[in-house]
Amino acid sequence: MIIAVDGPTASGKGTISRQLAHHYRLPLLDTGLLYRAVGWTLRAQGGDADDASEALAACGFHNDLLADPGLRSEEVGGLASRVSVHPVVRNALDKRQKDFANQPGGAVLDGRDIGTVIAPDADAKLFVIAKPEARALRRFSEMKSRGEPAVYEDILADILKRDERDQNRAAAPLKPAEDADLLDTSDLTIRVAVQQAIALVDARISRRVDIDPT
């Protein structure tokens, strides 16, 4: 079973994906970490995130880097959004994602183009959204809890900028797949959002079984 979870930054898709992976006992790939790893590597190399050739050169990172908590920083997240607009970078990372999705037994993948590009035949697809203000407040609270300096207005401006970049890039823009179930978490607790996500996946799987009992 392949479950695709897409959506903008701070929408809750990461938490939902982790809970879905736990619930269905499936391996999980946060594909955003791949782009963050490119941004991290590029920064270490002193490269320019807006230069496609330099960003491509940073795609050869080792998988061990994905476990580095430093990838979760706001700075690296901004770099990830910038390198993700380059088609050559997306092509370079596509195989890692598709191989993970198609492993025996299936997987849960969290990203921005899973249901449209990486796993268009996924058994269930969720597109998780939330109002920009709600997402900015979540990110603000997360940063404050980690003791990081945070200004709500700056975070909101950055989120809006990332949304514009993700939705309007030429390669694999952020958009829901035609057969994705929409989940708005703006006013939901984590517990309720996860419950609704599981219900949507169960319903989707049930419909597939009814169509093809084999």
Side-chain angles (χ1 to χ4, degrees):
M1 178 169 65
I2 300 174
I3 301 174
V5 184
D6 292 306
T9 186
S11 60
K13 64 186 174 66
T15 300
I16 288 171
S17 296
R18 287 192 295 274
Q19 292 300 316
L20 288 175
H22 175 74
H23 180 80
Y24 295 105
R25 298 183 180 180
L26 293 170
L28 168 67
L29 176 62
D30 177 353
T31 63
L33 286 179
L34 299 176
Y35 294 95
R36 286 174 176 262
V38 174
W40 174 283
T41 303
L42 189 67
R43 184 182 62 178
Q45 295 174 348
D48 179 2
D50 299 316
D51 185 298
S53 60
E54 292 187 20
L56 177 61
C59 289
F61 58 86
H62 194 279
N63 283 340
D64 289 348
L65 177 59
L66 300 179
D68 193 317
L71 295 184
R72 303 284 183 178
S73 74
E74 284 300 294
E75 179 188 359
V76 175
L79 290 171
S81 179
R82 289 164 62 190
V83 301
S84 70
V85 305
H86 304 306
V88 290
V89 171
R90 304 198 72 85
N91 289 337
L93 299 180
D94 272 6
K95 186 176 186 303
R96 292 194 194 205
Q97 299 173 69
K98 289 177 179 177
D99 287 347
F100 191 91
N102 293 310
Q103 64 183 293
V108 177
L109 287 89
D110 157 15
R112 286 172 171 74
D113 65 345
I114 308 304
T116 54
V117 176
I118 302 302
D121 296 323
D123 299 279
K125 301 176 185 178
L126 297 180
F127 195 82
V128 184
I129 62 171
K131 297 174 183 176
E133 294 78 10
R135 291 153 52 204
L137 182 58
R138 290 171 188 171
R139 186 55 52 85
F140 174 81
S141 300
E142 289 172 4
M143 293 176 67
K144 295 294 284 187
S145 70
R146 295 194 296 262
E148 299 176 13
V151 177
Y152 171 82
E153 290 77 11
D154 292 345
I155 295 172
L156 177 59
D158 182 62
I159 280 177
L160 293 173
K161 186 183 298 182
R162 288 195 204 182
D163 286 352
E164 194 279 332
R165 192 158 49 219
D166 290 342
Q167 293 166 0
N168 295 295
R169 64 186 178 222
L174 171 66
K175 63 179 182 179
E178 291 184 1
D179 55 345
D181 290 307
L182 193 67
L183 176 57
D184 188 338
T185 67
S186 298
D187 302 312
L188 302 181
T189 63
I190 291 175
R191 177 172 172 273
V192 173
V194 170
Q195 288 177 337
Q196 291 194 13
I198 291 173
L200 289 170
V201 172
D202 283 347
R204 180 67 63 170
I205 299 303
S206 177
R207 287 197 295 272
R208 280 184 172 250
V209 171
D210 288 341
I211 294 171
D212 182 9
T214 62

